[in-house]
Amino acid sequence: MRLLAFTKPFGPIDAARLAEAVASVGAEGADLVVREGQTVSPADPGGIAVVAAELERRGLTLDVVTTDLLDTGADAERIIAACGESGVPLVRVGFYRYDPAAGYHRQLDDSRAALSRLAGLAARHGVQLALQLHHGTIHPSASLALALAGDLSDVRFYADPGNQAKEGSEAWALNVDLLGDRMACMGVKNAVWRSAADGWVCEWQPFADGGVVRWPEIISGLRARGYTGLLSLHVHYPAADPAAAVRRDLDHLRGLLG
């Protein structure tokens, strides 16, 4: 399994410093977030090639580009084309949020049509799309993500047990079994439930400190199933020193991998 650093906690540093940060934490590659306030913004996707080159100089790879894309358009064309030109194999799309007022079935039809258009665009540029299992969406679990993808067989999936801790969903083993060889990446993070004034809340915490997701069991299960894909380490909690936080969590993950 290849260990990636999700670049969100590093913020808007330049490409060289970002690549150096990814190298310094001991990752094998990067899951690059293309978003405002990050190294690469949607308005300037040419930065993807710059990041890829800086990573390559340090013996690292750009394995995933994470976006907020939900449909085709000028931004999607530029970003996906830049990924294809830079040799990025996997582009994570945005979140198709669940809106109770609109209703699931209407949202399913509209979102699947949009995802289909994006998948066609990605195919023209030689990249694959990944749909993340994410709370608050119409794809929080493997079964619902597969329902959204429908017959779009080229769409891959980005599993995420930590995200699923925020919302009741299928057990990790069932998710992995359902996704099969279409699972291209798994997000790695942990959370805890804490009592608050208005009830219990689920909050992110350092992966190295444990939490409600049983990662030793998951890692063992992935090994038993022969998974050799990507693990993307996410740091979503506040950290005064992002690189130190990512390094500590990544070291813990590496320890679980043995």
Side-chain angles (χ1 to χ4, degrees), residues 6-126:
F6 189 62
T7 63
K8 181 179 176 180
F10 300 117
I13 59 177
D14 64 42
R17 288 174 60 207
L18 178 65
E20 192 57 41
V22 173
S24 75
V25 301
E28 298 171 78
D31 180 347
L32 175 70
V33 180
V34 174
R35 191 174 289 160
E36 295 300 332
Q38 294 288 306
T39 299
V40 181
S41 72
D44 187 21
I48 293 170
V50 181
V51 171
E54 291 290 348
L55 289 167
E56 185 176 7
R57 285 182 54 206
R58 293 161 176 81
L60 306 174
T61 51
L62 180 52
D63 298 83
V64 183
V65 165
T66 285
T67 74
D68 294 324
L69 298 175
L70 294 173
D71 205 339
T72 50
D75 280 353
E77 180 68 46
R78 289 192 297 266
I79 292 169
I80 291 177
C83 289
E85 291 164 5
S86 302
V88 177
L90 195 68
V91 174
R92 199 183 96 187
V93 300
F95 308 133
Y96 296 95
R97 298 285 184 185
Y98 173 57
D99 177 4
Y104 170 75
H105 292 288
R106 175 181 168 188
Q107 287 182 274
L108 176 65
D109 291 342
D110 292 346
S111 299
R112 184 183 293 156
L115 184 61
S116 177
R117 289 188 288 270
L118 274 175
L121 175 61
R124 291 197 294 276
H125 290 285

Side-chain angles (χ1 to χ4, degrees), residues 159-252:
D160 200 312
N163 268 327
Q164 292 185 285
K166 295 257 188 178
E167 183 174 311
S169 59
E170 299 149 344
W172 73 263
L174 178 56
N175 277 271
V176 172
D177 287 346
L178 285 169
L179 297 177
D181 60 8
R182 293 178 69 183
M183 187 176 82
C185 185
M186 178 175 278
V188 179
K189 51 183 168 287
N190 218 328
V192 291
W193 283 94
R194 293 192 174 94
S195 179
D198 56 349
W200 289 82
V201 294
C202 191
E203 297 178 343
W204 304 124
Q205 78 163 15
F207 177 73
D209 293 343
V212 298
V213 182
R214 296 180 293 187
W215 279 104
E217 178 185 319
I218 294 174
I219 295 298
S220 176
L222 291 177
R223 272 221 177 94
R225 288 164 172 78
Y227 179 69
T228 58
L230 306 172
L231 296 177
S232 180
L233 190 283
H234 297 190
V235 168
H236 288 331
Y237 55 88
D241 185 341
V246 175
R247 186 183 306 111
R248 178 172 180 259
D249 283 351
L250 202 57
D251 284 347
H252 183 70

